[in-house]
Amino acid sequence: STFIMTDSQIKEEGFLEDVNNILNTGEVPNIFPPDEKVDVCEMVRPAAKSENRCPEGTPEQLFSFFVERCIKKLHIVLCFSPIGNSLRDRIRNFPSLVNCTTIDWFSEWPKDALESVAKRFLNEIELEKPVRASCVKMV
């Protein structure tokens, strides 16, 4: 499962505190009331048993197993703009945004790089010279 969040969706900085916790520990503290936590533990019990992960089957072991599975199966994609001070301030306040992530910076490509890539890929296709030039320009 993938959770995608853009910086325009952050209405309160508290949202990032939860994301920071998920990135750092795999869970949001106290997100489940005690009765729901018991239900979660019972739902993962068969999987934990089949993987031989919780020998005694204590609630702590089962919940830890649940959190481990969440960490393995949940992917978080954060799309933040580097323009302005907000990204810098958020990274300072929530260090897991850097420490527990892989950062891909996407920026505009220079015109000559775009042209070079287009020429390389279109070279493999049979086209007349004027058509090829038009396609390179379009790409």
Side-chain angles (χ1 to χ4, degrees):
S1 296
T2 303
F3 173 72
I4 300 175
M5 182 180 212
T6 64
D7 50 0
S8 64
Q9 293 173 314
I10 300 170
K11 302 301 179 202
E12 298 176 27
E13 291 297 307
F15 293 172
L16 285 178
E17 187 172 343
D18 292 340
V19 170
N20 186 68
N21 285 328
I22 292 170
L23 290 170
N24 195 25
T25 64
E27 66 175 310
V28 176
N30 302 319
I31 194 168
F32 294 110
D35 59 323
E36 286 182 22
K37 198 170 182 177
V38 169
D39 292 343
V40 167
C41 290
E42 289 308 313
M43 282 190 273
V44 298
R45 184 180 297 278
K49 253 188 177 177
S50 71
E51 292 181 26
N52 253 356
R53 297 290 308 282
C54 301
E56 291 96 41
T58 64
E60 292 79 22
Q61 289 176 338
L62 292 168
F63 194 73
S64 177
F65 176 78
F66 168 73
V67 170
E68 284 177 32
R69 286 186 80 179
C70 289
I71 290 170
K72 285 180 188 172
K73 296 182 181 230
L74 177 65
H75 302 279
I76 299 174
V77 177
L78 302 172
C79 306
F80 293 167
S81 172
I83 298 171
N85 294 330
S86 63
L87 180 61
R88 181 183 55 168
D89 295 339
R90 288 173 175 163
I91 288 172
R92 191 178 315 126
N93 292 332
F94 308 106
S96 292
L97 295 178
V98 172
N99 299 337
C100 301
T101 60
T102 300
I103 298 175
D104 290 327
W105 293 96
F106 294 98
S107 57
E108 193 172 328
W109 281 33
K111 184 178 180 183
D112 59 332
L114 290 170
E115 212 170 276
S116 172
V117 170
K119 283 179 184 175
R120 183 173 155 254
F121 282 102
L122 291 173
N123 255 352
E124 300 169 6
I125 301 171
E126 274 189 50
L127 294 171
E128 296 175 18
K129 276 192 174 188
V131 174
R132 184 182 315 280
S134 296
C135 288
V136 166
K137 188 176 180 182
M138 180 190 69
V139 172

